[in-house]
Amino acid sequence: MTAPDAAPAGVDTDLVEAFLTASRVLVAVAVRSLSSYDADISLPQHRALVLLAAHGPQRMTDLAELLDVNSSTATRHCDRLQQRGLVQRAPAVDDRRAVQVSLTPAGRRLVRRVTDARRREISRILNAMPASERPSLLAALQSFAGAAGEVPDQHWTLGWGTDRSLANLDP
């Protein structure tokens, strides 16, 4: 392994490395939570499902923007998700030329189950930490999410969805 590149001025390289390590842990949690349901979907496809759960039905171009990908990539994600019965498409209400994509009941159930599995595993990891360190971790993660521009009500930082965004996902 090569030495890490120098961090930008004012950024502690140890902090950057600690976040890289933590991100590997969180990606592993995400992968395990997806694979536990044999959903045969990728993390980016799951992200599309979670965004639809949080934001409701979206025009394909708006979903692409939320995913920060081009429209053809979002369309390919939705093609695969539709084949699995997790999303459905319909003409957009305000523009019949545009396509709107939304979750199916199966898609809502999958998002809820995967998020619940992720929440259980993250809770297990956090319970292994000393309780005295948890408040400072909470503050640091909230500050990090804010600096990244994440909206607190969406809470994508740890599980790409929360009870607030998933509360209305009953089948």
Side-chain angles (χ1 to χ4, degrees):
M1 186 172 224
T2 62
D5 292 334
V11 177
D12 181 346
T13 57
D14 290 339
L15 183 59
V16 170
E17 292 304 312
F19 265 88
L20 285 171
T21 301
S23 72
R24 285 193 302 272
V25 170
L26 292 172
V27 168
V29 168
V31 169
R32 283 192 299 270
S33 66
L34 267 178
S35 65
S36 68
Y37 288 97
D38 196 30
D40 194 29
I41 61 171
S42 66
L43 282 174
Q45 291 166 358
H46 184 258
R47 174 92 168 138
L49 294 175
V50 171
L51 288 170
L52 290 170
H55 295 275
Q58 296 289 307
R59 290 183 315 145
M60 194 64 70
T61 56
D62 296 331
L63 179 60
E65 187 175 318
L66 288 170
L67 289 167
D68 196 23
V69 298
N70 62 45
S71 290
S72 64
T73 300
T75 298
R76 282 192 303 278
H77 287 328
C78 289
D79 288 344
R80 293 177 186 116
L81 293 169
Q82 187 173 18
Q83 289 171 356
R84 289 171 179 80
L86 302 172
V87 300
Q88 59 192 8
R89 296 178 188 170
V93 177
D94 60 340
D95 180 358
R96 308 287 283 164
R97 296 171 295 160
V99 174
Q100 189 169 34
V101 62
S102 61
L103 289 176
T104 63
R108 286 189 295 272
R109 282 191 301 274
L110 179 67
V111 169
R112 186 176 47 252
R113 289 175 182 154
V114 169
T115 301
D116 288 347
R118 192 169 295 165
R119 186 174 285 113
R120 283 189 301 274
E121 188 165 353
I122 289 170
S123 294
R124 181 189 59 75
I125 294 167
L126 291 172
N127 281 329
M129 286 181 62
S132 62
E133 293 180 10
R134 294 180 201 152
S136 59
L137 176 62
L138 174 62
L141 289 172
Q142 288 171 335
S143 179
F144 181 79
E150 287 293 322
V151 178
D153 288 342
Q154 292 172 347
H155 291 274
W156 301 121
T157 57
L158 293 180
W160 289 340
T162 68
D163 288 334
R164 274 186 255 172
S165 65
L166 300 176
N168 299 319
L169 295 180
D170 292 333

